[in-house]
Amino acid sequence: MAEKLELNKHIEFLEPPEGAETLRPKPVNLFEDNPINLSVLEGLKGRSILGVKDFKREEVIELAKLAAVLENFEIAPYHIMDGKIVTTAFFEASTRTRLSFESAVLRLDGKVLSIPEGGVTGVRKGESLEDIGEMFNAYCDMVIMRHTETDSAERVRRNLRVPLINAGNGSGEHPTQSLADWYALLKWRPELASPDPSKKSKRLCLGILGTPGSMRAVKSFLLMSLMFQDRISRVVVISQMADPFGEDLVAELKKAGIRYEVTNDMQNHVAELDVIYMNSIAFLGDSYKNLDSEYQLNKDSDLKENAVILHPLARLSELDCSLDNTAHNLYFSQAHGAVFVRQALLISISGRLNRLPKEIPTVK
Ligand code: CP
């Protein structure tokens, strides 16, 4: 079916160094028995993504399957984003999100207008986000924005008529991070994406080390995980805070009918967890601080044999480098895969699915 497509020339760089056991699940796992349903992705054309609730579960699955195709095959010759201009407006520091979005656009032959920090814009002279949003309409076809303030995405969108992707808004959300998180999980356990009930995998026990109420990546991961509630046996949140959720998230957990518990005792729970999602950075207005730093994992931690660790990065002391070369490390696959799942989203929002090569495995 896809034999005419060449393999991605960059894929060898994503392999772990020799001797490392680091997990790099193969993208082909995700689409060889489960072709892409492009009609689901067509519904994303022209849409803005401000939070996880802007996605449906079937869209997350189809985006992950398209990402796997983009990761596996050489897609550059198809110039899919040719003629499109994307603005990456980052009013807060980033290594992965801005560069992976920009890499995603450039490798699809689109063009990028990059704001690497707010100080190079009129914000420095007191310009409002609402006015900047009006300007973006003239400059580009899509805006990807990160900002320290939780209301920033709503403010810039007031006058924006091109699609907006929220790349992190204060302690709000980081919806494309959770796409990268779930892309890594679905490659690792492709049966989680299968429509075939006989392929239902053993349900996962998810652990979260951190505070979903104030850590945007953790919050978005939890919200996306609730979409897969039938594949999850229990959520264990390990935090020093008695209420690490806040009211809204508790309501979401109850609505999903998922079993969850909160504990401050990592040692007694870590051995039960199939997936451990960790983070250390909590956003407080335009500053951030390291929370729960007493919770640290290293290669000697009492992890289940097949447990995997996810971390949106950057890491501090909570995730020791001694885990990097172990089979618990899904976090590098998670970070690398972000380029491809963001490509899948950009292609869908731009209405450029029709430029994909005909040979890719799709539902006919
Ligand atoms: N995962 C993530 O958001 O990383 P950056 O802050 O480097 O973009």
Side-chain angles (χ1 to χ4, degrees):
M1 186 187 297
E3 55 273 4
K4 286 191 217 142
L5 291 169
E6 287 184 25
L7 288 182
N8 182 353
K9 293 187 187 70
H10 296 100
I11 208 161
E12 66 187 278
F13 300 122
L14 305 183
E15 289 296 317
E18 217 170 301
E21 290 175 32
T22 312
L23 268 181
R24 292 284 198 278
K26 299 280 176 223
V28 69
N29 297 349
L30 205 40
F31 59 82
E32 64 183 347
D33 297 328
N34 196 358
I36 306 166
N37 188 342
L38 288 179
S39 65
V40 169
L41 295 180
E42 277 157 12
L44 284 163
K45 182 178 174 183
R47 276 190 11 211
S48 289
I49 302 294
L50 271 60
V52 163
K53 285 186 173 172
D54 291 318
F55 293 117
K56 299 186 191 89
R57 169 172 161 161
E58 58 179 353
E59 290 167 343
V60 173
I61 290 173
E62 298 307 323
L63 284 169
K65 284 155 56 180
L66 177 55
V69 165
L70 298 168
E71 182 170 351
N72 201 65
F73 297 113
E74 190 58 46
I75 231 72
Y78 299 90
H79 312 292
I80 293 174
M81 293 279 285
D82 182 28
K84 294 284 184 188
I85 299 177
V86 173
T87 297
T88 53
F90 277 60
F91 296 85
E92 185 208 287
S94 164
T95 304
R96 279 149 293 277
T97 312
R98 184 169 67 86
L99 293 178
S100 65
F101 263 120
E102 293 186 359
S103 170
V105 175
L106 294 171
R107 285 187 165 164
L108 294 170
D109 251 353
K111 294 187 174 66
V112 171
L113 290 175
S114 187
I115 299 173
E117 54 134 345
V120 302
T121 71
V123 163
R124 188 159 185 173
K125 298 179 278 188
E127 189 173 22
S128 71
L129 281 177
E130 287 83 347
D131 277 358
I132 290 176
E134 180 61 51
M135 299 308 109
F136 284 153
N137 293 315
Y139 305 150
C140 60
D141 302 293
M142 193 187 308
V143 177
I144 297 160
M145 190 176 89
R146 168 173 291 187
H147 200 285
T148 53
E149 299 293 335
T150 306
D151 67 356
S152 54
E154 286 297 348
R155 285 177 52 206
V156 81
R157 196 160 79 142
R158 252 167 233 157
N159 293 327
L160 199 60
R161 294 178 292 283
V162 296
L164 172 68
I165 300 179
N166 173 15
N169 59 324
S171 59
E173 278 217 53
H174 194 353
T176 65
Q177 178 61 49
S178 52
L179 273 185
D181 306 338
W182 269 89
Y183 176 43
L185 286 177
L186 294 172
K187 269 191 292 184
W188 170 63
R189 288 274 187 272
E191 62 276 16
L192 294 168
S194 172
D196 178 356
S198 68
K199 292 209 171 154
K200 270 200 176 173
S201 58
K202 192 176 137 303
R203 296 203 297 164
L204 299 170
C205 183
L206 285 192
I208 291 179
L209 260 153
T211 311
S214 58
M215 293 175 169
R216 64 190 179 209
V218 178
K219 185 190 296 178
S220 289
F221 174 74
L222 178 59
L223 287 171
M224 195 166 279
S225 300
L226 297 184
M227 292 181 183
F228 292 85
Q229 41 78 22
D230 57 329
R231 309 295 170 102
I232 292 166
S233 60
R234 196 160 54 107
V235 176
V236 180
V237 175
I238 301 168
S239 171
Q240 276 297 322
M241 298 181 74
D243 174 15
F245 299 117
E247 262 176 43
D248 291 355
L249 280 176
V250 169
E252 294 296 334
L253 284 157
K254 289 192 171 143
K255 196 164 98 189
I258 209 159
R259 276 179 64 207
Y260 70 94
E261 67 182 280
V262 178
T263 177
N264 59 14
D265 183 354
M266 183 176 89
Q267 296 311 332
N268 265 330
H269 286 83
V270 77
E272 302 161 11
L273 308 173
D274 299 302
V275 176
I276 302 169
Y277 196 95
M278 48 193 326
N279 196 359
S280 63
I281 297 169
F283 289 85
L284 305 158
D286 59 2
S287 66
Y288 40 87
K289 71 173 197 164
N290 182 17
L291 287 187
D292 303 324
S293 59
E294 65 270 39
Y295 299 127
Q296 300 185 351
L297 292 180
N298 61 43
K299 73 175 176 37
D300 298 319
S301 299
D302 189 20
L303 295 160
K304 218 171 173 174
E305 189 186 346
N306 296 320
V308 294
I309 300 171
L310 291 173
H311 193 309
L313 306 174
R315 65 175 151 191
L316 299 172
S317 58
E318 72 285 348
L319 177 59
D320 193 79
C321 297
S322 63
L323 281 157
D324 291 358
N325 289 339
T326 72
H328 300 298
N329 174 357
L330 195 58
Y331 42 91
F332 287 166
S333 176
Q334 172 193 10
H336 292 155
V339 173
F340 307 103
V341 83
R342 287 181 170 134
Q343 282 185 328
L345 183 63
L346 290 164
I347 294 169
S348 303
I349 290 179
S350 305
R352 286 289 174 88
L353 291 164
N354 57 356
R355 297 238 186 151
L356 288 164
K358 299 287 172 272
E359 295 83 2
I360 68 168
T362 54
V363 174
K364 303 297 175 207

